[in-house]
């Protein structure tokens, strides 16, 4: 698997178009999420800004197999702006070292079952580790996320250190919770250069 990481400008028009279609097929068509901004077979929302960092997993044929979105909590982000009730009585994080992970999926649309989420797959574990690495590269020491409770399966299976930030709640037909994920210190500041992706996450050419 090849991972490309960058902002919309760094990923380029073609990959960004494919990412929007992939997100629509996964989150709207497959998982049935009610996302009011999704339209014309593409899924983006107000948190997809020029500063948003996207992580995209590609197979050998260049087909998207997974995605994740990284947002600094110093600006608008999903937990604080849409789901603050999941924090209970705690304030939502606002710190340079805390980033949010959202729009996480690791589904091969060509071969996966027609419904559901492959949360416990090896591909999901690998994508989560890559997203954590990229978040550390941007200065994060902690990730927060609004997630289906079932995602705990990934975290336990992978041995990740995480904590509930509030009690789970049923929202729009989903059993959701807010969690924090500790990021261990990276072994190296250098990210691997893969398939034309520079160590700073920029796409060459």
């Amino acid at each position: 698997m090849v991972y490309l990481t960058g902002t919309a400008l760094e990923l380029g028009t073609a990959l960004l178009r494919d990412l929007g279609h992939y997100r629509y097929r996964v989150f709207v068509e497959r998982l049935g999420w009610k996302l009011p901004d999704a339209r014309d077979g593409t899924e983006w929302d107000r948190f997809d800004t020029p500063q948003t960092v996207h992580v995209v997993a590609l197979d050998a044929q260049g087909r998207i197999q997974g995605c994740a979105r990284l947002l600094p909590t110093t600006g608008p982000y999903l937990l604080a702006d849409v789901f603050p009730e999941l924090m209970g009585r705690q304030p939502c994080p606002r710190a340079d070292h805390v980033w949010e992970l959202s729009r996480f999926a690791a589904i091969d649309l060509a071969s996966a079952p027609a419904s559901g989420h492959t949360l416990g797959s090896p591909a999901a574990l690998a994508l989560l580790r890559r997203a954590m690495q990229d978040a550390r590269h941007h200065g994060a020491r902690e990730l927060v996320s609004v997630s289906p409770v079932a995602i705990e399966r990934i975290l336990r299976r992978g041995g990740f250190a995480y904590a509930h930030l509030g009690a789970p709640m049923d929202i729009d037909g989903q059993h959701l919770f807010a969690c924090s994920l500790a990021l261990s210190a990276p072994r190296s500041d250098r990210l691997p250069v893969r398939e034309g992706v520079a160590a700073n996450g920029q796409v060459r050419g």
Side-chain angles (χ1 to χ4, degrees):
M1 197 72 68
V2 172
Y3 298 94
L4 301 184
T5 299
T7 63
L9 180 61
E10 292 165 344
L11 291 181
T13 303
L15 181 56
L16 202 66
R17 179 195 62 229
D18 292 346
L19 177 57
H21 293 325
Y22 178 84
R23 282 174 39 167
Y24 187 91
R25 293 185 63 192
V26 168
F27 298 117
V28 178
E29 294 183 346
R30 185 174 292 255
L31 298 180
W33 289 9
K34 299 174 182 177
L35 301 174
D37 294 324
R39 58 177 61 89
D40 299 325
T42 299
E43 193 280 304
W44 301 111
D45 66 16
R46 60 192 170 102
F47 303 109
D48 294 301
T49 71
Q51 291 74 43
T52 300
V53 177
H54 303 278
V55 184
V56 185
L58 301 171
D59 66 12
Q61 288 72 46
R63 295 174 300 205
I64 297 179
Q65 303 295 299
C67 65
R69 180 173 68 183
L70 297 170
L71 295 167
T73 62
T74 52
Y77 69 104
L78 195 67
L79 175 58
D81 291 55
V82 179
F83 298 106
E85 64 270 30
L86 292 174
M87 291 292 296
R89 296 183 178 181
Q90 299 185 73
C92 292
R94 294 284 183 188
D96 290 335
H97 70 277
V98 182
W99 282 53
E100 181 184 62
L101 172 69
S102 59
R103 290 301 190 269
F104 180 89
I107 296 178
D108 180 352
L109 292 171
S111 62
S115 63
H117 209 315
T118 54
L119 289 175
S121 70
L125 290 169
L127 177 60
L128 179 55
R129 291 190 179 100
R130 175 64 193 217
M132 292 169 66
Q133 181 185 24
D134 289 328
R136 286 195 301 263
H137 183 70
H138 284 84
R141 300 197 302 273
E142 178 184 347
L143 287 177
V144 295
S145 179
V146 175
S147 304
V149 171
I151 207 170
E152 289 190 85
R153 227 170 32 205
I154 285 187
L155 303 177
R156 287 195 296 266
R157 181 175 177 178
F160 299 107
Y162 73 98
H164 284 242
L165 297 175
M169 299 179 66
D170 290 319
I171 300 175
D172 291 334
Q174 298 185 74
H175 199 44
L176 303 176
F177 78 121
C179 71
S180 65
L181 182 63
L183 302 182
S184 59
R187 295 178 181 177
S188 170
D189 289 336
R190 180 177 174 81
L191 295 180
V193 176
R194 296 288 301 277
E195 296 293 321
V197 183
N200 64 1
Q202 294 183 340
V203 179
R204 295 176 178 167

